[in-house]
Amino acid sequence: MLGPVLETLIGGLMTGVLYSLVALGFVLIFKASGVFNFAQGAMVLFAALSLARLSEFMPLVLAFAFSVLIMIALAYAIEFLVLRHLVNQEGIILFMATLGIAYFLEGFGQTLWGSDIYKIGLGLPTNPIFILESVFPGGLLIDPVELIAAIICAVMVLVLAVFFQVTRVGRALRAVADDHQAAQSVGIPLNQIWLMVWAVSGLVALVAGMMWGAKLGVQFSLSLIALKALPVLILGGLTSIPGAIVGGLIIGAGEKLAEVLLAPVLIRTFDLAGGGIENWFAYVLALAFLLVRPQGLFGERIIERV
Amino acid sequence: MFYREVGQFKTSYDADEAIFPIAQDRWSVIVLIAFASLGVPLFAGQYLYTEVLIPVLILSIAAIGLNILTGYCGQLSLGSGGFMAVGAYAAYNLALRLPETNIILVFLFAGVMAMLVGLLFGLPSLRIKGFYLAVATLASQFFLEWAFARVKWFTNYAPSGSVAVGRIELFGIPIDTPGKTYIFVLAITVVLTLAAKNLVRGRIGRMWMAIRDMDIAAEIIGIRPLHAKLSAFAVSSFYIGVAGALWAFLRLGSWEPLAFDVNRSFQVLFMIIIGGLGTLLGSFLGAAFIVLVPIFLNQLPSWLGIAMSTAMISHIEFMLFGAMIVLFLIAEPHGLARLWAIGKEKLRLWPFPY
Amino acid sequence: MRAPSEHEIAAGNVLLAVEDVSLAFGGVKAVAGVSFDIRKGEIRAIIGPNGAGKTSLLNIINGFYQPQHGRITFKGRPRAAMRPYDAALGGIARTFQNVALFKGMTALDNIMAGRTLKMRRGLFWQLLRIGPALAEEIEQRRRVEEIIDFLKIQHIRKIQVGKLPYGLQKRVELGRALAMEPDLLLLDEPMAGMNLEEKEDMSRFILDVNAHYGTTIALIEHDMGVVMDLSDRVLVLDHGVKIADGTPAEVQADQAVIDAYLGLSH
Amino acid sequence: MTGKTMSGIRVGIALAGAVAVAAPALAQNEQFIPNLVYRTGAYAPNGVPFANGIADYYRLINERDGGINGVKIVFEECDTGYATDRGVECYERLKGKGPTGAAYVIPLSTGITFALTEKTTVDKIPIISMGYGRSESRDGSVFQWNFPLLGTYWTAADIILQHIAKKEGGFDKLKGKKIALVYHDSPYGKEPIALLQKRAQMHGFETLFLPVTHPGVEQKATWLQIRQNRPDYVLLWGWGVMNSTAIKEAVAVGYPREKMYGVWWSGAEPDVRPAEDGAKGYNSAALQHTAGQFKLHEDLKKYLYDKGLGAAKWEETGEILYVRGLINAMLGVEAIRTAQERFGKKPLTGEQVRWGLENLDISADRIKQLGFEGELRPIKVSCADHEGTRTGRIQTWDGKKWNIASDWLTSDDSVIAPMVKEAAAKYAAEKKLTPGCLVTN
């Protein structure tokens, strides 16, 4: 029994890492501009589509570079066409605006790049690795693609952490996150910072899209991972990078364990037509957490002023 | 000149508290309802009924529901699809298990069940706000979708999970033609709209708006957030539940939980953003917009005689909705309804430029 | 300095008493062991330099903030803290330093909202809006129109308050508070940002409210001239601590007040 | 730009061409056929080739023969996105077009088929659900307007089980074995469950049903469960992106692809290609035809692709789903032709086309004549049997192409017929229908 549970846990944690990667994009934007960017999923799709289609004509590295440029251009377009006009609006209005952006990007991405399944050939090994075969019958399964994704994600987080702590831009970013007006008054150009942060989260989307795409193929459904990242954010807190990571791991592991362990029990008890509880389980987990600790695991406490 | 209220003096608060205090409004609403119920059947064909009028009316009810919650009370919900499903399956089960039940009661029951579920899922709104609440409502969306796909009792053990309704009749008159269906839906829409209009301009509506505009100040004048938010959730879910039952019974006839998935929630939300947050008129305009745009886009290439692939039309639909939402949020947060009001303002002065 | 009013004669009849109340945010003490009372019918001013804890005190009175220490006695009922709803129910109304109106609603609706507690008819009657619900609505509307007339804001009745100039917004906010028919009205800088003429208007309204409806008023104000003209008694705070309490004349003569406050601003 | 986007645009050109001809002339000699497709969304990879096949066949008939006996085909696509309600919308929008309304409707989704079943009865328009739809709808006395030609899901599941039994050495050898079904959580995916349960009861094997939520990119937990339950075989009832994901996840948990059997909607190129070598050994049922170009393609090249009128790219015209689109369109056209013999060579109503479908009888000679030799076996539809034929094969992916891996297998009617009868009777009772063959005058 322990073997399968451990295996599910490992599998869940690795899926969780990929959720974290998407959630990270959300956090970056929220931290700097207070925008809850629902379009992050559409950005992942868009980035992955660009990369996949470009890599049909050119070496992957070059395709990656071009995709980075495309994501920066996209960030600029979003800043210039949308955000700039919605400064000082309520969070909820900005959120709905990003819903619009998401829809637009989904249509635009497919118009530009097509709606088939596309490959991103990273040349990753696909056959499973089994460890601890002496301890558990059949060993514990590890998916090498996910393992590599986990490592890349870890590197990504490290780089971002360094970026925020050490560089001048990073410090400015943190200042903006703390207080928009104060930051502006000491001469930090808000628009540039926002542009910057959208570009960075575009880059994160590209990496996330690359990893998901390498695993499952690049297709329209990629944009749906935005829906997977939401509970992660709630759990981890909207403003915390470590929160996004830990939240992703908890949600990933929690939902897979629930599906494998809890669903069969539910099916038997209530005579259900199959399981598939992971979809809502992640949300309910996050929601339960939210009621206990509204600011999330690592989020900052929100104090309301009159 | 055409839209002048000058000279209309109200001599009592009673008159000023009438549902449409301005004579032109009153008359245009009466004319509109008369036209919709008596005029339209003179010329409408089946296509106009089933593809335009009936869906617009039913979705308007859902939009009014969400508008009460989001537009009036300021609580963002992405769970409309789930509540519509509650209405649909509640109605299905009542009609199935008590086949003699009057169809009006079936739809009322659908609304009440959705209201109870809405109250339950509205409880977190007391502690959480904004997009946190939006995510919480998504939880209800996914859970409800799942429950209707999995709990066999809801679908009467249908092996495919798809359910269908039989003949629908009202007081012995079968509602079997598009024309009759339309009149039936129209009647329900008019009643529910007038009731919503009454609610939003009375004490309860002011409570909702107060919570929306500034919940702290609302509490200080004696509005209990619990009361206001839960009543908004209840009324909103009732409307959405009725809309769900109507959609299932009179539009789809046969459905599966996917008919009420998260895209339906987004669709209803888009209606109120484009139509206008916090206006009832906007609910209708938004629903009409969302229904008509795809039809229009499908016709457009043949009208223009240009080539456009099916995929392209679909993509344009996505882009157009996305762009419209952003555009409206930037330029006119009160949506089409506000544009209408501006138009009216202009008409009031026309033909004089000032 | 105005002549002693008839309300002062009734003084001694305490409406609200605050005893040894303290409130701290993190390590910062906003209010430290303040005690004072408000008597029925009087106009009570609370003054002090910026950051003296004036607004915090109002927030404690109407239940926004829960003090860590101390006791509040309102209408003879002592309690550790108020809840905003209970405060409203008990007859405490207030206005805010930065107008806290419902921006998306008309002036009329804002003031009508102030009468929420006076209205009883439930959802069902509201849906139909006939009979009792309509009668109630019309009755309340009549009362609200009196307030509108009193504040001379008839012309902006049906305008969204978000579109009104600041001075009018303040007036609507006062109207909303009055609509509650409060026993105690808390005004947080009712004249901030107003020009002289508007200030005079507002002073007139405050005095009229006090005289006409017999409403007890506690107000925070910076303009010392206004304070001296309007108030019966003045409470002076500095850094969260009470440094003086008395008639305007007494306070004006108080050395501590002169040092902490008047001395600086004059 | 390359690929499907481009081909989509070409369809558009073709389409607009047809409309442009139609509009000014107000020609009455046209047969209108709606085309419910999906070229967008999660199911586009599979929807696009199928839609292209259908479009090309209609165009070919117009270009080569000048229509069906001189009656030009006018068709219009409507994108359902595989969503049932959009499908209903599309149907309602298109059913009344053309001088005689829609000839028939091809829903290309079991969910939409379910939703349309009652509507088409009222509107008198037949549904062709070739290889999908309600399994019991082959009973034409109850489902007078449904035509699940070439095989239902009960047929598909039965063929696969027969193949597995043969491999194991007989149905009795299945006793104690465990067979899992990974299915798309929709009416489509749920269809085979009834047959699997029946067969499980008969032969004593265990079943494990694992639903996958739309659109099917989230299957990690499903495959971990498979790894832990170690079923002897896994049946896959997926569609669109769900299929390729399933195969990839099978690779990731090391489940042998040789033990996986997809339904015929889970056995096309878009399903296996993304998994690359990982899909090697994966099996699926084949709906009579195979991949690859055949006789008809000479005409397709000559009349469409050489003139730049084709909807797909030429290399894609041998793909499984494209070929299936061709066959589907051909069956529809032949039904119209059959009906024309009785009602005259003019645009026909849905009711008349229904008669053509119910009396459809395509012999081996005729198949050869039509250029479909080797892709289809003779089919004869009757009121009692709206399926027409229930024979298929198993194919295996070798990493590059699909290879036929079995003889012809025919579903066992001694098992299925009683199930059909029972289910159809239940439906008739619920809807208060009196079963009987429909007579068209």
Side-chain angles (χ1 to χ4, degrees), chain D residues 52-313:
Chain D
N52 285 343
I54 292 185
D56 275 357
Y57 193 78
Y58 293 152
R59 277 206 72 68
L60 178 68
I61 293 293
N62 283 346
E63 292 290 319
R64 186 187 65 191
D65 312 339
I68 311 168
N69 294 323
V71 180
K72 254 203 174 328
I73 299 173
V74 176
F75 69 98
E76 188 173 329
E77 288 191 349
C78 181
D79 200 297
T80 67
Y82 200 63
T84 299
D85 54 327
R86 296 272 322 230
V88 172
E89 232 167 85
C90 282
Y91 165 78
E92 294 283 353
R93 183 183 301 165
L94 297 178
K95 71 180 183 191
K97 280 212 169 179
T100 53
Y104 52 80
V105 55
I106 298 176
L108 195 51
S109 144
T110 299
I112 299 176
T113 309
F114 267 82
L116 291 186
T117 292
E118 271 131 73
K119 292 184 183 284
T120 51
T121 308
V122 177
D123 298 330
K124 298 193 189 307
I125 295 170
I127 300 175
I128 303 179
S129 57
M130 188 185 86
Y132 57 93
R134 287 181 103 110
S135 296
E136 65 266 34
S137 70
R138 81 172 224 214
D139 183 346
S141 67
V142 173
F143 295 91
Q144 293 162 332
W145 300 87
N146 292 52
F147 292 88
L149 302 174
L150 300 194
T152 63
Y153 289 130
W154 290 350
T155 293
D158 205 56
I159 287 172
I160 294 172
L161 286 180
Q162 283 184 32
H163 182 74
I164 291 172
K166 218 172 249 179
K167 223 159 118 178
E168 294 282 336
F171 266 112
D172 48 332
K173 294 277 171 17
L174 289 183
K175 198 171 175 67
K177 299 255 187 250
K178 198 187 271 178
I179 296 179
L181 172 71
V182 174
Y183 65 96
H184 189 265
D185 193 7
S186 67
Y188 155 53
K190 288 173 185 168
E191 270 295 307
I193 291 176
L195 183 108
L196 291 176
Q197 279 170 336
K198 173 109 185 217
R199 280 281 195 188
Q201 211 182 354
M202 286 167 65
H203 311 298
F205 60 83
E206 244 186 281
T207 52
L208 178 64
F209 298 116
L210 298 168
V212 172
T213 315
H214 153 92
V217 281
E218 194 60 52
Q219 295 182 38
K220 176 120 210 127
T222 311
W223 288 90
L224 280 171
Q225 274 169 292
I226 284 176
R227 170 164 156 76
Q228 285 152 19
N229 284 298
R230 299 168 203 281
D232 298 283
Y233 293 96
V234 170
L235 271 46
L236 176 63
W237 243 255
W239 185 226
V241 73
M242 174 183 162
N243 288 329
S244 55
T245 306
I247 295 172
K248 285 194 161 198
E249 291 287 3
V251 175
V253 300
Y255 189 84
R257 269 68 74 201
E258 292 75 20
K259 302 208 158 193
M260 289 175 70
Y261 286 84
V263 67
W264 42 59
W265 298 107
S266 302
E269 293 82 358
D271 305 326
V272 283
R273 266 198 211 121
E276 296 173 359
D277 282 348
K280 204 185 273 181
Y282 169 74
N283 311 289
S284 88
L287 192 68
Q288 302 205 351
H289 67 91
T290 54
Q293 300 182 341
F294 49 93
K295 179 91 189 319
L296 184 78
H297 283 74
E298 290 168 16
D299 285 352
L300 284 173
K301 186 155 179 56
K302 184 168 155 203
Y303 292 100
L304 299 182
Y305 284 81
D306 284 350
K307 296 187 197 163
L309 295 172
K313 282 197 292 184

Side-chain angles (χ1 to χ4, degrees), chain B residues 46-47 50-51 55 92 96 145-146 148-150 156-166 176 247 250-261 263-264 267 291 294-295 298-299 301-303 305-315 317-318, chain D residues 5 7-13 15-16 19 37 39-41 43 76-79 82 84-86 88-90 92-95 97 109-112 114-116 118-119 122-123 134 183-188 190-191 193-194 211-214 426 430-431:
Chain B
Q46 205 228 336
Y47 181 82
T50 58
E51 280 322 285
Y92 167 76
L96 177 83
E145 225 181 295
W146 174 86
F148 291 120
R150 291 291 181 270
N156 195 26
Y157 300 87
S160 63
S162 172
V163 298
V165 291
D176 50 3
W247 189 257
L250 300 175
R251 167 111 177 103
L252 299 177
S254 155
W255 71 94
E256 51 196 285
L258 272 182
F260 302 104
D261 69 356
N263 287 322
R264 176 75 56 210
Q267 191 190 35
V291 169
I295 295 176
N298 268 290
Q299 303 295 332
S302 65
W303 288 341
I306 53 163
M308 209 191 277
S309 74
T310 318
M312 194 63 188
I313 292 171
S314 260
H315 294 154
E317 198 183 311
F318 264 84
Chain D
T5 323
S7 38
I9 291 168
R10 259 182 259 136
V11 176
I13 296 168
L15 236 169
V19 174
V37 300
R39 293 178 178 277
T40 55
Y43 304 94
E76 188 173 329
E77 288 191 349
C78 181
D79 200 297
Y82 200 63
T84 299
D85 54 327
R86 296 272 322 230
V88 172
E89 232 167 85
C90 282
E92 294 283 353
R93 183 183 301 165
L94 297 178
K95 71 180 183 191
K97 280 212 169 179
S109 144
T110 299
I112 299 176
F114 267 82
L116 291 186
E118 271 131 73
K119 292 184 183 284
V122 177
D123 298 330
R134 287 181 103 110
Y183 65 96
H184 189 265
D185 193 7
S186 67
Y188 155 53
K190 288 173 185 168
E191 270 295 307
I193 291 176
V212 172
T213 315
H214 153 92
K426 183 171 169 244
E430 266 174 26
K431 300 286 168 228

Side-chain angles (χ1 to χ4, degrees), chain B residues 238-249:
Chain B
F238 179 89
Y239 275 71
I240 294 174
V242 170
L246 291 172
W247 189 257
F249 273 54

Side-chain angles (χ1 to χ4, degrees), chain C residues 2 9 31 37 41 52 56 76 82 111 113 120 132 138 142 173 179 185 193-194 196 200 212 230 232 253 255:
Chain C
R2 69 194 179 94
I9 301 160
V31 178
D37 61 16
S56 292
M82 290 283 231
I111 301 172
R120 288 279 164 267
I138 289 170
R142 196 180 56 72
E173 199 190 19
L185 179 58
M194 288 188 168
L196 190 63
E200 279 173 359
H212 190 84
L230 285 180
D232 299 311
Q255 194 51 47

